Amino acid sequence: MANCVVVLLLMACFLADSSVAHTFSSKLIHRFSEEAKALWESRSGNVSRKFWPRRDSLKYFELLMDNDLKRRRLKIGSKDEMLLPSEGSEVLFFGNEFDWLHYTWIDIGTPSVSFLVALDVGSDLLWVPCDCIQCAPLSASYYSVLDRDLSEYNPALSSTSKHLSCDHQLCAWSATCKRPDEPCTYKRDYYSDNTSSSGFMIEDKLHLASFSKHAKRSLVQASVVLGCGRKQSGGYLDGAAPDGVMGLGPGNISVPTLLAKAGLVRNTFSLCFDGNGSGRILFGDNGSATQQTTRFLPLFGEFDAYFVGVESFCVGSSCLQKSGFQALVDSGSSFTYLPAEVYRRIVFEFDKQVKLNATRITLQEFPWSYCYNVSSLESANIPSMKLVFPLNQSFIHDPVYVLPVNQGYKIFCLTLEETDDDYGIIGQNLMVGYRMVFDRENLKLGWSKSKCLDINSKSYNAKPPSNDGSPIAIPSNEQKSPPNRQAIAPTASRTTSSKSSPTASHFSPLLLLFPVFLVVC
C-alpha cells in the first residue's frame, strides 16, 4: 500500500508539473523514500534523523505538509510573472574601459548595497568583491565612465547574510572541509590566463522587482548564494568585472536556478543587446510566440552549459558544406569563435565575395586577420552571415566591425576568430539585435529580433514586499537532498576542459580574448 501511495504521489507530481509549464520544483515529496535515503548514504555516509525523519512520524508529515505549501506557492506565484533587478532591467556597455563586457546594477543584502556585475551565461557563480585582500580599484575616479563608486560587500553589515557551511547542500564536500560546520570556501579559475576569484560562500538577499501584465509591480527579496570574493587575479584586476560577476549558467548555484526553485519565476531568462551595446535582462521571460528555437545539447548526459548544434554556416547566399559544429552560447565572449576547419571555409568564402570590391589590408594593432579598405561600405557589398540550426531554424547577422576612419575611406574587419577546440563559441557579436531566451525548463534556446528596450523601473509604482511571510529561502540544511555535481566544490579550482571533451560546467570563456556579455529584449 505504501508503494502505491508513493506511485500516486509521483503521478500527481508529474501531472501538476506538466500542466503548469512555468514551474520548477526544488524537491519531490518522495524524497524520504528508502531509495533516496540509500542514494544519499552511498554518497555522503550515514544520514541524521534530523534530515531523514522516521516514516509516518509527526516530523515526517510536517515536512511533507511544508513541501506541499511551497509547491502550491511555486505553481501560483510564478504564473505570468517576470523579475528584473530592483534598479532596472537595463544592461550597460562601457567598451574597452571594462574589457568589452556587459553589466547591470544589482542590490544585495540588508540594508542593500549596489554592485555593477558583469553578466556571464558561461558560468554559474555570482560573486562580488568582499572583505578584500586583493580586489580591483573601486573608486569612480579610477575609471572614466562611472558616476559613482563601486562597492565592497561586507557580510557583517548585512542583517540577512549567513555563511554557508561545508555540510550545506550547495557546498560540495571536498578535502578542504575538515568539519561539517566549517565555512564553505570557493576558488573559480576562468579560462583566460591567471584570472580567478576566491573567497567563501554567503547566503543573502537579492533585491528584484516583479513585472507582469496582470499585476502591479512589487519589490521582491530572493535568497541567493554568492561568493564573497576576497581575492581576485588576472583580468579581474585589470578592468574586467571589477565589481563582480553574475553567472547565469544552468548550475544549481546560479541566480536563475535559485529563483526558479523558489517558485518566483519560470525557469527561463532572456538577454538582449542593441546596436549601441546596451540592452536588458529579464528572469522568467519565455520569449515571443513567434521566436525560433533550437534544443540545448547535453555533454556526457548532463546539461551543464548552453551548447547547441549548428548544422551549417552560410556566407551571403552560399551555405557551405561540412560547416556544421557544436557551439557554446556564451555572453562572456565578445566575439564568435569557430573550429579551425569551419573557420577556414568561412573566411575563404567571405574573402572571395568581398575582395571583388575591397582591398584586404593588415592592421597590426587589431586582432582580426581579415580587414579591408573600401571607398564606401555600400560598394563593398558585405555579405551577411547565417547560422542554420535543426528544423531550418536560423538567425542572420552582420559579422563585421567598422573602424572609425575619416580620411575618405572605410576600414572593416571580420570579427570571427579561430579556436583550437572542436567546438565553437557563439559570442555577443552574433547576438546583437536579438532577444535571446534561455529556456532551461524546456532545454531550448530561443531568439527573435528585438530593439532591446529597457523596462524603466522608475516608471512604475513599486510596492514593498508583503508582511505575510519571509521571502522564500534557498534550500536549507534541513531540506538537504543528495549532492549535485553543480554544487560548489570548496576551494576547488575550475578545471580547463580538454580539446576533445569540453566540460561545460567548468568552462567560461570570460576574458578569453575579448570578454563581453549578453542581455534581454
Side-chain angles (χ1 to χ4, degrees):
M1 178 62 182
N3 290 335
C4 292
V5 171
V6 173
V7 171
L8 289 174
L9 289 173
L10 284 170
M11 291 177 63
C13 173
F14 173 79
L15 291 174
D17 282 347
S18 63
S19 64
V20 186
H22 56 264
T23 64
F24 183 86
S25 177
S26 61
K27 64 180 185 292
L28 298 175
I29 56 176
H30 66 292
R31 67 188 180 96
F32 296 129
S33 67
E34 291 301 315
E35 181 181 3
K37 183 178 180 181
L39 177 61
W40 175 256
E41 289 178 334
S42 69
R43 296 182 177 183
S44 303
N46 293 331
V47 295
S48 167
R49 289 185 179 181
K50 176 182 178 182
F51 301 138
W52 221 281
R54 179 175 55 84
R55 187 176 180 83
D56 295 335
S57 65
L58 177 60
K59 183 65 174 177
Y60 175 84
F61 289 116
E62 285 178 347
L63 289 175
L64 290 184
M65 182 66 72
D66 180 64
N67 183 60
D68 288 348
L69 292 174
K70 289 180 179 178
R71 284 179 60 76
R72 285 204 295 273
R73 182 173 181 177
L74 184 151
K75 295 173 187 176
I76 297 172
S78 64
K79 187 175 183 180
D80 298 327
E81 186 170 279
M82 292 181 285
L83 294 175
L84 57 146
S86 56
E87 296 206 22
S89 66
E90 184 181 11
V91 172
L92 305 171
F93 180 69
F94 304 101
N96 190 52
E97 177 78 14
F98 279 176
D99 251 25
W100 304 95
L101 301 174
H102 280 80
Y103 297 80
T104 194
W105 287 101
I106 62 172
D107 295 333
I108 298 173
T110 308
S112 63
V113 179
S114 298
F115 297 90
L116 183 65
V117 293
L119 303 174
D120 184 16
V121 302
S123 63
D124 298 327
L125 178 65
L126 165 63
W127 67 265
V128 294
C130 166
D131 292 347
C132 287
I133 298 174
Q134 180 174 291
C135 298
L138 300 177
S139 172
S141 62
Y142 188 83
Y143 307 97
S144 64
V145 295
L146 296 180
D147 58 4
R148 55 170 156 164
D149 290 343
L150 302 176
S151 300
E152 180 179 347
Y153 178 66
N154 185 343
L157 299 181
S158 175
S159 62
T160 50
S161 70
K162 293 186 290 185
H163 285 261
L164 258 67
S165 59
C166 280
D167 65 346
H168 195 284
Q169 74 172 84
L170 293 180
C171 180
W173 193 274
S174 83
T176 60
C177 283
K178 305 302 181 183
R179 298 190 312 273
D181 59 348
E182 287 185 341
C184 176
T185 60
Y186 81 92
K187 184 173 189 291
R188 281 295 181 267
D189 292 319
Y190 292 82
Y191 200 65
S192 57
D193 290 342
N194 301 316
T195 296
S196 67
S197 174
S198 61
F200 52 88
M201 298 304 299
I202 297 289
E203 177 188 345
D204 210 336
K205 303 301 180 185
L206 175 64
H207 297 258
L208 302 162
S210 66
F211 174 75
S212 174
K213 297 178 181 179
H214 309 294
K216 188 177 181 179
R217 172 170 291 197
S218 62
L219 300 181
V220 176
Q221 294 181 20
S223 292
V224 296
V225 295
L226 64 142
C228 172
R230 304 196 67 197
K231 187 175 182 179
Q232 277 64 253
S233 66
Y236 289 145
L237 299 177
D238 192 28
D243 213 19
V245 171
M246 181 189 286
L248 300 168
N252 282 353
I253 61 171
S254 74
V255 169
T257 298
L258 294 173
L259 296 180
K261 284 188 175 182
L264 296 175
V265 289
R266 294 176 295 267
N267 194 17
T268 67
F269 71 93
S270 65
L271 296 169
C272 192
F273 295 116
D274 64 21
N276 296 320
S278 62
R280 79 182 193 204
I281 179 170
L282 287 176
F283 299 105
D285 183 15
N286 266 356
S288 68
T290 59
Q291 70 181 0
Q292 298 189 76
T293 63
T294 191
R295 296 197 65 82
F296 291 128
L297 301 178
L299 287 178
F300 313 114
E302 300 286 342
F303 290 92
D304 289 339
Y306 303 120
F307 270 84
V308 294
V310 178
E311 288 195 338
S312 62
F313 204 115
C314 305
V315 181
S317 60
S318 177
C319 292
L320 306 180
Q321 295 182 352
K322 297 181 180 180
S323 59
F325 58 97
Q326 291 188 3
L328 174 67
V329 183
D330 179 38
S331 65
S333 292
S334 300
F335 304 106
T336 295
Y337 298 81
L338 304 176
E341 184 60 32
V342 176
Y343 174 80
R344 286 191 286 268
R345 292 174 182 270
I346 297 301
V347 296
F348 177 83
E349 180 63 27
F350 181 84
D351 184 65
K352 183 176 69 173
Q353 295 186 28
V354 166
K355 68 182 182 182
L356 296 176
N357 301 299
T359 303
R360 186 176 172 185
I361 59 176
T362 299
L363 297 176
Q364 294 184 352
E365 66 271 30
F366 288 94
W368 304 298
S369 301
Y370 287 81
C371 295
Y372 301 84
N373 187 352
V374 67
S375 58
S376 69
L377 295 179
E378 291 75 15
S379 64
N381 194 24
I382 301 173
S384 62
M385 299 285 191
K386 181 169 72 171
L387 275 69
V388 181
F389 300 93
L391 303 178
N392 202 31
Q393 304 288 285
S394 65
F395 68 79
I396 301 174
H397 206 276
D398 179 359
V400 303
Y401 174 73
V402 180
L403 279 65
V405 179
N406 298 316
Q407 284 87 357
Y409 58 90
K410 297 289 185 180
I411 293 177
F412 64 91
C413 297
L414 178 64
T415 57
L416 299 179
E417 290 293 311
E418 182 179 2
T419 176
D420 291 334
D421 293 307
D422 56 3
Y423 60 92
I425 301 169
I426 297 176
Q428 178 265 338
N429 66 321
L430 286 193
M431 303 177 192
V432 171
Y434 284 94
R435 176 186 186 178
M436 306 295 294
V437 177
F438 295 80
D439 186 348
R440 300 125 55 85
E441 191 168 289
N442 298 301
L443 300 176
K444 291 181 179 180
L445 176 71
W447 63 91
S448 58
K449 280 286 188 180
S450 174
K451 296 181 179 179
C452 307
L453 299 177
D454 174 37
I455 298 175
N456 185 1
S457 60
K458 295 182 180 179
S459 65
Y460 294 83
N461 293 319
K463 60 182 181 181
S466 63
N467 295 322
D468 57 356
S470 60
I472 297 177
I474 63 174
S476 67
N477 286 339
E478 294 187 4
Q479 301 166 345
K480 206 157 189 175
S481 60
N484 186 290
R485 61 180 300 184
Q486 292 296 319
I488 293 180
T491 323
S493 297
R494 173 177 301 183
T495 56
T496 303
S497 59
S498 67
K499 179 178 178 181
S500 59
S501 57
T503 307
S505 62
H506 297 296
F507 171 73
S508 174
L510 180 69
L511 305 173
L512 181 60
L513 283 177
F514 311 94
V516 178
F517 278 88
L518 284 185
V519 187
V520 163
C521 149

